[in-house]
Amino acid sequence: MIPLTWDIVSHGLAESGRFLAIAVTGVVILEGLAYIVLHRLLKYKYALPAMLIIPAFVAVMALIIYPFGFNMYLAFSNMSMYRFKEFSVGLSYGLQNFLDVFRHPVLQNVTFFQLLWRTVCWTTVNVFFHVLGGLFLAILLNRPMRGKAVYRTLLVVPWAIPQVIAALAWKGEFHYQYGFANIMLQRLGLAPIRWLSDPRWAFIAVILVNIWLGIPFMMVIILGGLQSISSEYYDAAQIDGASGWQQFRSVTMPLLQPVLTPAVILGIVWTFNNFNVIYLITKGGPMEGTDILVTSLYKAVFEFYRYGFGAAYAAVIFIILLVFAAIYLRVTGGFKGAWE
């Protein structure tokens, strides 16, 4: 591994500064052209709003629309390590790539449907405990107590730590001989667990780490939602004789829904596509036992060099998340207020 030196840091800062200067220059030129065309030449009534939107529109086109279109282009190609420069594009290649996603192992042994089931389990368990833990802590912090700011700061620490550092630290804690988890189990009189060499326990280990990382985000979002609920609703419920559970079910949860729905969707999408935790702790192993869809996608592209297949595989994952989000929004009506 190359050590981090001052030369590397200064080179990185110089590259970042150069990129920032190019971006700022591009925005200035773009705004200047928009001003001349829209305001001076066309006398457009809404020139100022259009000028404010144009940089964001260009950024979306460059960072989202173009990569997505290029991915779909590659999905209909036979691009691979052996055909990196001289690949062909056609409908037959696209159909073959999309069919290969479902009918052949994505990696060496594991198939798409095994990975999909594992990803669904991974996402469901993680998001369930994220919401449950975040809701529990948010309700506690929303009550009058001394030292509330200190508790909030401490509880946000897992979220503030970069995932790379947290994941590598937890990898050490799951070491069979020297890890904190097995030391605590032995002190309780239990046998140590082969966390990182047994596929089942390795999957449980990465789930535990991701739950620990994800609860603070949900806690912050839900706490913001709780603080936006007027105390008058609870006063009226108490006058009507509602119990604490009835207040939670009939006041808190319905009024939290506009906040909770996008947070849950974001949580599902982020967890579904979470690459860092699994890859940094287990690299998808042992025996591909902790791979989910996105880690297997990375391996298919950057370890097996199946670029056309990987692009089709990425499109399938995108469609799954798009369909899920549409169904979830339809069922929960989470954005209903935005359209009324």
Side-chain angles (χ1 to χ4, degrees):
M1 180 180 292
I2 301 175
L4 184 63
T5 62
W6 172 247
D7 290 338
I8 295 176
V9 174
S10 60
H11 181 71
L13 291 175
E15 289 296 325
S16 301
R18 188 179 306 167
F19 175 78
L20 185 62
I22 293 173
V24 171
T25 305
V27 171
V28 170
I29 294 173
L30 190 64
E31 289 291 334
L33 291 174
Y35 175 78
I36 294 171
V37 173
L38 297 177
H39 185 71
R40 293 287 186 183
L41 299 180
L42 300 179
K43 306 294 184 183
Y44 185 49
K45 181 180 179 182
Y46 301 106
L48 180 59
M51 289 173 62
L52 296 175
I53 292 174
I54 284 174
F57 178 76
V58 172
V60 169
M61 291 294 292
L63 299 176
I64 298 177
I65 304 300
Y66 172 73
F68 181 79
F70 187 67
N71 180 81
M72 295 306 298
Y73 173 74
L74 288 183
F76 286 86
S77 74
N78 63 348
M79 188 180 186
S80 65
M81 184 173 66
Y82 301 106
R83 302 187 184 90
F84 188 76
K85 293 184 178 179
E86 298 177 353
F87 61 90
S88 302
V89 179
L91 182 61
S92 60
Y93 297 120
L95 292 175
Q96 183 176 349
N97 286 332
F98 280 99
L99 288 175
D100 285 348
V101 172
F102 303 103
R103 65 185 181 184
H104 295 308
V106 175
L107 300 176
Q108 292 180 334
N109 301 310
V110 68
T111 64
F112 170 80
F113 292 104
Q114 290 174 312
L115 290 166
L116 178 61
W117 169 246
R118 194 180 296 157
T119 305
V120 170
C121 293
W122 155 266
T123 306
T124 304
V125 174
N126 273 295
V127 174
F128 173 77
F129 283 104
H130 288 169
V131 174
L132 188 66
L135 182 62
F136 175 74
L137 292 175
I139 290 174
L140 287 181
L141 291 175
N142 198 41
R143 301 170 66 87
M145 66 168 64
R146 298 179 62 183
K148 186 186 294 187
V150 176
Y151 295 136
R152 285 181 183 177
T153 304
L154 292 176
L155 289 170
V156 171
V157 166
W159 190 34
I161 298 175
Q163 277 198 357
V164 175
I165 297 173
L168 293 178
W170 273 105
K171 183 179 181 180
E173 302 302 341
F174 285 117
H175 189 274
Y176 178 75
Q177 188 174 0
Y178 304 109
F180 174 77
N182 276 350
I183 290 175
M184 292 303 296
L185 288 176
Q186 288 174 316
R187 290 189 178 181
L188 294 173
L190 301 174
I193 295 173
R194 296 188 179 278
W195 292 100
L196 302 180
S197 57
D198 182 283
R200 184 184 57 176
W201 286 110
F203 194 55
I204 293 174
V206 292
I207 286 177
L208 291 175
V209 173
N210 201 55
I211 289 173
W212 180 80
L213 284 169
I215 285 178
F217 169 76
M218 282 295 175
M219 181 195 73
V220 171
I221 298 296
I222 295 173
L223 182 60
L226 288 176
Q227 291 178 341
S228 68
I229 300 175
S230 173
S231 60
E232 295 177 356
Y233 294 107
Y234 296 102
D235 295 338
Q238 289 173 358
I239 292 173
D240 291 339
S243 64
W245 169 250
Q246 289 173 325
Q247 292 178 38
F248 175 78
R249 190 184 60 184
S250 303
V251 177
T252 304
M253 289 308 294
L255 294 177
L256 266 182
Q257 189 179 354
V259 174
L260 206 54
T261 298
V264 169
I265 291 178
L266 279 177
I268 289 172
V269 172
W270 287 345
T271 307
F272 196 94
N273 290 324
N274 193 315
F275 174 83
N276 296 342
V277 173
I278 291 178
Y279 197 78
L280 289 171
I281 295 179
T282 65
K283 291 188 182 297
M287 297 182 290
E288 302 174 353
T290 58
D291 267 318
I292 59 174
L293 288 175
V294 290
T295 57
S296 62
L297 169 62
Y298 175 84
K299 290 181 176 179
V301 174
F302 295 105
E303 294 183 8
F304 294 88
Y305 305 106
R306 303 168 67 190
Y307 300 113
F309 170 82
Y313 192 15
V316 171
I317 295 174
F318 170 76
I319 292 170
I320 291 172
L321 288 172
L322 183 66
V323 170
F324 166 78
I327 294 174
Y328 186 83
L329 288 173
R330 179 78 175 177
V331 171
T332 61
F335 289 158
K336 188 176 179 181
W339 303 106
E340 291 179 344

